[in-house]
Every structure is written in C-alpha cells, then in structure tokens.
Amino acid sequence: TAGNLYLTDSFQATIWRIPSGGGQPQIWFQDSRLDTPFGANGLRLSPDGTKIYFAVTADGVGPFGNFLGGKIYTLPLVNSPSAADLQTFYQYNGEAPDGIAFGKSGNLYVALAAPFNSGVSILAPTGVEAARLTNPVGSPVFPYDSPANIAFGKDGSILLTNHAFAT
C-alpha cells in the first residue's frame, strides 16, 4: 500500500488515493458500476494486503423503498486498476451492505444497513456467506437498527454503529 490512504466517495463513483504523508487526492478508480444512489462505501484491505474490498450499498431502490441488492467488490491493490479488474465478491438480494471489516478468521464481516432487514453478514474467504447475525423474531430494529460501520475490539468483540433510521 506504500502508506497510501484509500477513500470511497459514494457520490462520485470514485475511490480516491491520498499519497503517504498527505497531498492532493488522486482518482485511483472510477467506474459506472459504482454510480448508484448508494454507491461505494466501507473499504478494507484484504488480510494478505493484495486486494481492496468495498461495498456498493445498493444498485437502486425499488417499490416501497426496498433496496435492490448491494455488492461487495474487489480490486487488486495496483497502481492503476482497470474496469476489467473490478470483481464481484458477493451479491446481496435486497440487503444493503455498508461498513466492512475482516476478522482474525479471515472472514469478512459486513454491516447490513437496510431498515427492518438489518444485521451482520459473515462472508468466508471463498465468497460464500458462512453465517448471518440478525435481530430476534419480533424485534425488527434491536439490536441491529441499520448498522453503518463495523470494527473489532481488542477482545475480538464486534463493534457496530447504527444509522437508526427506524428509531
């Protein structure tokens, strides 16, 4: 990574690169597939340091405000990735991936931010969903109320921030 900072820009279908030590942001990657109402979000470097993973929260909003399936994408960590380098790691159906974080296991933990369909999706390194954390039956917004971001505490516990759209 050469100490660079990478930043998703949901409104410009862009991932920016800021050089080590600061300086002028540069467009690292742009693509029309990121140009959605809820574009590029949550970005993480793969555990082996060779790829960037990021979420596109939704390809759009359908009838009754339901999300039209977001995606987790990957790009190789190279100087100038091309459109052909953009790969879908996982496609959601009606869920809205937002913040992401890798666990010590190598699994990718994905905050699912769609109101009343919230939780945490756990993706194995192979790109399949290994597990999902959801709200208990009868509790549509507790404890997951449209989580926005995800991280891990020193003890391995999951830390989430909620958008709290519903409440």
Side-chain angles (χ1 to χ4, degrees), residues 1 4 6 15 17 28-29 33 43-46 48-54 73-88:
T1 63
N4 295 317
Y6 295 85
I15 299 175
R17 179 177 53 206
W28 182 68
F29 184 78
R33 290 170 284 182
L43 180 145
R44 294 288 181 181
L45 184 63
S46 65
D48 66 4
T50 63
K51 294 180 186 175
I52 285 182
Y53 286 69
F54 64 96
Y73 283 111
T74 66
L75 282 167
L77 191 59
V78 296
N79 190 45
S80 297
S82 70
D85 291 326
L86 184 65
Q87 300 295 312
T88 300

Side-chain angles (χ1 to χ4, degrees), residues 101-137:
F102 282 97
K104 289 180 182 178
S105 63
N107 289 337
L108 183 63
Y109 289 71
V110 181
L112 299 176
F116 304 104
N117 197 13
S118 300
V120 176
S121 171
I122 304 168
L123 303 178
T126 58
V128 299
E129 189 172 60
R132 187 174 287 207
L133 307 175
T134 60
N135 290 323
V137 174

